[in-house]
Amino acid sequence: MKKYLEVLTPQNCQIIFIDQQPQMAFGVQSIDRQVLKNNVVGLAKAAKIFGVPTTITTVETTSFSGHTYPELLAVFPQNKILERTSMNSWDDQNVRDALAANGRKKVVVSGLWTEVCNTTFALCAMLEGDYEIYMVADASGGTSVDAHKYAMDRMVQAGVVPVTWQQVLLEWQRDWARRESYDAVMGLVKEHSGAYGMGVDYAYTMVHGAPERVVHGERIGPRPAKA
């Protein structure tokens, strides 16, 4: 268990997104699906900021599951998408090869569904590949609250480490004095971290006097008073 005392860093881990596709999301009942998508994209952008090696795998894209969220693909336009037929990503040689090529034993996982694709991948990767699995609970979803919960419980009993997407982001940042990633992390927080992001916006503008944030070319903040 000593290896699990190590914090995640951008240098000691890699990340895999499993079946973040619309038909899979349609079946998710354990978390609000818009929140789920926000968290998945936020996690992807975090991996991009810190240069964490990223694998994206899909199942039965054209026959059932649909294409990966375009917002996720936009973060990694250069990544090859690994298409499979097996529910268990570990069964696919291309997935195993991609993980091995990254040379990192800590694997952060975000996938659908928790009780099927995530669980089987995690257990097999640990047993057969000697990987350490960090399951991002709020960037994954199951077909019911119980399905997600008991799948997480089963994985934790087997040694999987449960985490949340924002926890991973801040563990990678670790120190606010790391200026090379600070601005990008704050930008990500303001866009994807809900109340935390609102608080950052408030502190920047109302406490530190920064200009109001602009999104998609529109001014964000008080509108001119009506005549």
Side-chain angles (χ1 to χ4, degrees):
M1 293 298 293
K2 190 174 182 180
K3 58 189 177 183
Y4 294 118
L5 298 179
E6 299 171 352
V7 299
L8 293 174
T9 73
Q11 293 75 38
N12 71 5
C13 64
Q14 59 177 302
I15 188 167
I16 184 170
F17 291 95
I18 300 174
D19 305 346
Q20 295 291 354
Q21 300 163 266
Q23 183 64 36
M24 304 305 297
F26 294 160
V28 170
Q29 297 293 321
S30 62
I31 183 175
D32 178 88
R33 281 164 286 197
Q34 193 59 44
V35 172
L36 170 66
K37 188 176 184 181
N38 172 80
N39 296 349
V40 169
V41 176
L43 179 64
K45 290 179 179 179
K48 183 77 168 182
I49 289 169
F50 289 100
V52 175
T54 299
T55 300
I56 302 174
T57 184
T58 54
V59 64
E60 296 291 349
T61 294
T62 58
S63 62
F64 181 76
S65 300
H67 295 282
T68 301
Y69 308 142
E71 295 89 346
L72 174 56
L73 296 180
V75 180
F76 300 107
Q78 75 286 356
N79 280 41
K80 180 181 178 181
I81 307 303
L82 304 181
E83 176 77 5
R84 342 174 302 278
T85 59
S86 171
M87 287 180 279
N88 182 357
S89 298
W90 184 257
D91 290 342
D92 190 277
Q93 186 64 49
N94 290 327
V95 174
R96 296 197 299 271
D97 289 347
L99 297 174
N102 291 327
R104 302 178 182 191
K105 284 298 186 179
K106 296 182 186 297
V107 183
V108 177
V109 180
S110 163
L112 304 177
W113 298 321
T114 317
E115 69 270 28
V116 183
C117 304
N118 290 16
T119 298
T120 55
F121 169 80
L123 297 180
C124 290
M126 293 171 69
L127 178 65
E128 300 175 21
D130 195 33
Y131 285 99
E132 304 164 36
I133 303 298
Y134 293 76
M135 188 63 58
V136 189
D138 62 351
S140 300
T143 55
S144 70
V145 172
D146 279 347
H148 178 79
K149 176 191 183 308
Y150 291 118
M152 291 295 299
D153 287 349
R154 179 185 179 189
M155 288 187 283
V156 169
Q157 289 172 347
V160 170
V161 180
V163 293
T164 60
W165 85 267
Q166 192 165 262
Q167 175 186 356
V168 173
L169 166 68
L170 298 180
E171 204 159 319
W172 284 339
Q173 174 65 24
R174 187 166 181 168
D175 187 341
W176 294 123
R178 292 180 174 172
R179 306 305 301 182
E180 65 274 13
S181 54
Y182 178 87
D183 288 340
V185 168
M186 285 294 95
L188 175 56
V189 164
K190 287 184 278 189
E191 185 178 3
H192 288 279
S193 290
Y196 176 29
M198 295 178 201
V200 172
D201 264 332
Y202 179 87
Y204 271 38
T205 56
M206 305 305 290
V207 177
H208 300 292
E212 296 168 87
R213 185 160 60 100
V214 174
V215 177
H216 301 310
E218 293 187 4
R219 180 174 180 271
I220 302 300
R223 298 295 181 181
K226 291 183 179 179

